[in-house]
Amino acid sequence: MKSSDVTNWLVKEIALLVGRHPEELDIREPFSSYGLDSAKVMLLSGELGAALDIPISPTVFWDYPTIQELSFYLCERGLRGNDEVATASSIAPDQRESIAIVGMGCRFPGITGVGEFWEHLLRGTDAVREYPADREKLGEVKVDRQGGYLDGIDGFDYPFFHMSYREAIRMDPQQRLLLEVTWEALMDAGISPELWANTQSGVFIGISNSDYGRRELEAADGFHIHSVMGGALCIAANRLSYFLGLHGPSMAIDTACSSSLVAVHQACHSIWSGESQQAIAGGVNVILSNGVTSSLAEAGMLASDDRCKTFDAQADGYVRGEGCGVVILKPLTKALQDGDDIYAVIPGSALNQDGRSNGITAPNQSAQEKLLLSAYARAGIQPSQIGYIEAHGTGTFLGDPIEVKALGQVLSNGRQADDLIYLGSVKSNIGHLESAAGIAGLIKTALIMKHEVVPPNLHFHTWNPEIPRTGFPFLVPVKCEALKLGEDVYAGVSSFGFGGTNAHIVLGKPPLVRNVDQTSEMEPFVFTLSAARKDGLSLLAQKYVDWLQKAEKYDLPAMGAALSRGRKHHEHRLAIVVSSKESLITALQDYVRAFESSSLWHYGYVASQPAEAVFWFGDYDGGNPGDTGEEVIINDPVFRQSYFVVTQLYRNLADDTFQQEGKFNAFAKQYAYAQMLRHWGITPKSCVGEGIGRLTADVLDGRLSLVQAAQSLVHGEPTDLGQLEIGVDFKDIAICLLTVPPGVAQYANTVIVIECRDELACLQVQCDLYTKGLLVPTGSARTRKLPHMLPTYPWHHQSCWKTTIANAEEPNNITCFC
């Protein structure tokens, strides 16, 4: 049959099917313009196949969306594939280093944090449920369909982010989610946020929905400037940059369902171009309107049982979902230099558009194939290296086959028949998160690359009959499977916007980095926790108890390094000397139960403006502990070196008849302890002493040289020294070295006695200094920080929801400099 014959047949049959005259049909217009829906297309494809005596898939009407294009394809088959491969082969790989994913945070249905997310994926948990009842209590209209809904959508820890309640209730809950989840992602990365302040760090956020902001602007109870900012999509990204003090690009991106994956793509390119040093990328979605859901249901786009049955023969639509996901991105060399733990790397990505397909919301197989070829070419890999695909996979009867056909056309090339590719979609677990869908799939895939395990795909039993099985190397896992071994195995993540914007990102496994602290016995270290509220600190301690009791694999020194070097240290602080997992659990449990002083842990409150330290040195009275000549056994190198220098001076200056060895030893220890504290980073506001202690204070403040002080001590000159008179504020913290001089307590707020007879005593001192805000113990510098998937921050959620009652006295006076 000629192309013209196929054209005439299609014109005649479509005219009969839609009740129009053949001359009314334009063969260059999409099939959707004739009123052909999915059911009519399936009927037409069967009749066309019978007329041509060849099987015709209904998806071909989306691949070639006009009568003219479809007729040409059916009569001239085989030409298109060669052209596209040639086009893709001309794309040069990106000559840039990979981007490392160093931290992730998420809030998905029934899930808080990446650790919980991974556990749910491995267990195959279905998070779809009825619309939460607590939202009706907030005055929200019930959404009639089940979905992937978040709990406690009204909760927000607004004091933590330095906001007023007045502003918080007018903020879209999507902005609140982004603030908290971004903070969690930075903590997961082991990045204290103040380290990024005033840097060229970018923020790229995918966001499309604005139910809360639209309702707020349409409310009849008065208009407030906070409502404008609280509902503006751009502020979702800008508020992060403002709170963290970032100076790189800051933008909200709306390409519908592909928004968050497009945001990651843009973030990577911003880093590659040098526009950003590092970046925050993610997406968010919250459902507060029944109108959109009802419209989608009436259009037949939602699944009858509210489940995404991706790739399955029973696939009949998707289910809506909510969530927020954020990733922290750095250039790979920078991540390795910083000692970051890495989930996965991004060697390349691609974006494109469906163009003029069979309707603006219709997918296009040809465009998807070109997208895949471009992404793999730019990543510098072969399609045969792909071991896992996180598909867009909404679970529609015709959308899934179009996507899998595009994947099969590209990924089958150069692959052995038994070289299977795992195919999954996180939508089967948590629903379709729309503007946050892509980031959910990316986080899942990064976890797969990190752990080399593919979790099960839910609601899959039998392949969709429109998905070709012959020659397509795909396997949908129904239980946990091992990802193919080897460093050259990659994964791909797809996300398609309903307006036709497509994104595909390539992920590689993290580089193998050997931890240098592989010792059979763990050396004791200081374990630190902190929170903005005291009850929050107790909750956080309990979280770590629960985590440790369940953990099968753990590295306590690496965890300690992450908590000390990669966390913001808040006002309420807890410090514990850890020698084993059991001792840590016991101390944490003791703190949770006691809330009072204990020998197992140290607690303290540090004001926003921490007190300063004053070094106090007492006189030698012949009975002071530690002033004899016993061997110094602590291993601090600065202490030992300083002590050695003073004792060498003593041996050079004193003759055999000198009888003041105890005094000289007390002076040597005072000086050595002071130098050790300075090396730790504690710079005293002043040094105060009496007797021998005044001599030590004079040396540390530069009024005497060490040699002059030693000579004075040998010759007996300091015996008449009184107390050095220097002003001391009561808010100051007195650090007494070796002994507590009389009357110190009346001058200073807190007294800390420094005398470390062994390594454990030295660590106890560090605990005390940490809880007073004077020191952050770092532990061994050789220990890599492994912060990933540790318990999340204990937010103090308070209900922040806009009421319908106007407050006439509320100020409305934000200054705008637009």
Side-chain angles (χ1 to χ4, degrees), residues 62-328:
W62 277 262
D63 301 336
Y64 307 98
T66 68
I67 292 174
Q68 185 180 60
E69 290 179 61
L70 181 57
S71 300
F72 181 79
Y73 164 73
L74 291 173
C75 296
E76 305 290 339
R77 312 178 82 173
L79 298 178
R80 185 178 59 86
N82 294 332
D83 291 341
E84 289 188 355
V85 173
T87 301
S89 64
S90 65
I91 300 174
D94 291 327
Q95 300 299 317
R96 297 170 285 202
E97 65 173 322
S98 295
I99 303 296
I101 301 175
V102 299
M104 303 192 297
C106 66
R107 199 77 57 82
F108 296 144
I111 296 163
T112 298
V114 178
E116 280 190 21
F117 184 41
W118 184 235
E119 290 177 7
H120 279 249
L121 289 173
L122 294 178
R123 290 200 303 263
T125 303
D126 185 348
V128 175
R129 60 187 176 118
E130 296 290 340
Y131 196 70
D134 61 349
R135 298 197 190 178
E136 293 183 67
K137 297 178 182 178
L138 297 172
E140 297 303 310
V141 177
K142 181 180 179 180
V143 176
D144 296 329
R145 303 294 293 261
Q146 290 190 351
Y149 300 118
L150 297 173
D151 292 313
I153 197 66
D154 59 316
F156 182 50
D157 194 347
Y158 63 88
F160 184 93
F161 296 99
H162 315 304
M163 293 182 185
S164 67
Y165 177 75
R166 185 177 68 248
E167 182 176 8
I169 63 173
R170 290 179 170 84
M171 283 176 61
D172 191 321
Q174 296 177 123
Q175 293 186 21
R176 306 176 201 159
L177 280 168
L178 281 166
L179 282 167
E180 293 186 355
V181 174
T182 298
W183 186 274
E184 292 168 2
L186 287 167
M187 297 300 98
D188 184 64
I191 297 171
S192 188
E194 56 261 29
L195 297 179
W196 277 27
N198 301 313
T199 63
Q200 201 70 14
S201 302
V203 178
F204 302 83
I205 299 299
I207 181 171
S208 297
N209 202 352
S210 58
D211 288 346
Y212 193 85
R214 184 167 51 250
R215 183 201 65 176
E216 171 68 6
L217 292 176
E218 293 172 354
D221 64 334
F223 186 74
H224 199 283
I225 188 63
H226 282 314
S227 303
V228 178
M229 296 188 299
L233 296 186
C234 65
I235 297 296
N238 301 159
R239 199 182 290 274
L240 293 175
S241 299
Y242 171 78
F243 177 71
L244 297 170
L246 311 181
H247 294 298
S250 182
M251 63 184 71
I253 295 171
D254 180 6
T255 59
C257 310
S258 60
S259 298
S260 54
L261 206 64
V262 171
V264 176
H265 169 87
Q266 294 295 99
C268 290
H269 279 263
S270 183
I271 294 173
W272 281 328
S273 70
E275 188 177 49
S276 297
Q277 296 172 259
Q278 56 248 332
I280 296 166
V284 66
N285 188 55
V286 169
I287 301 168
L288 297 173
S289 167
N290 191 42
V292 174
T293 302
S294 298
S295 297
L296 293 172
E298 290 174 6
M301 299 176 71
L302 300 185
S304 58
D305 60 353
D306 292 322
R307 296 297 184 276
C308 289
K309 299 175 285 293
T310 310
F311 316 124
D312 193 79
Q314 300 301 314
D316 60 348
Y318 63 87
V319 55
R320 299 186 75 195
E322 303 174 319
C324 178
V326 171
V327 294
I328 309 299

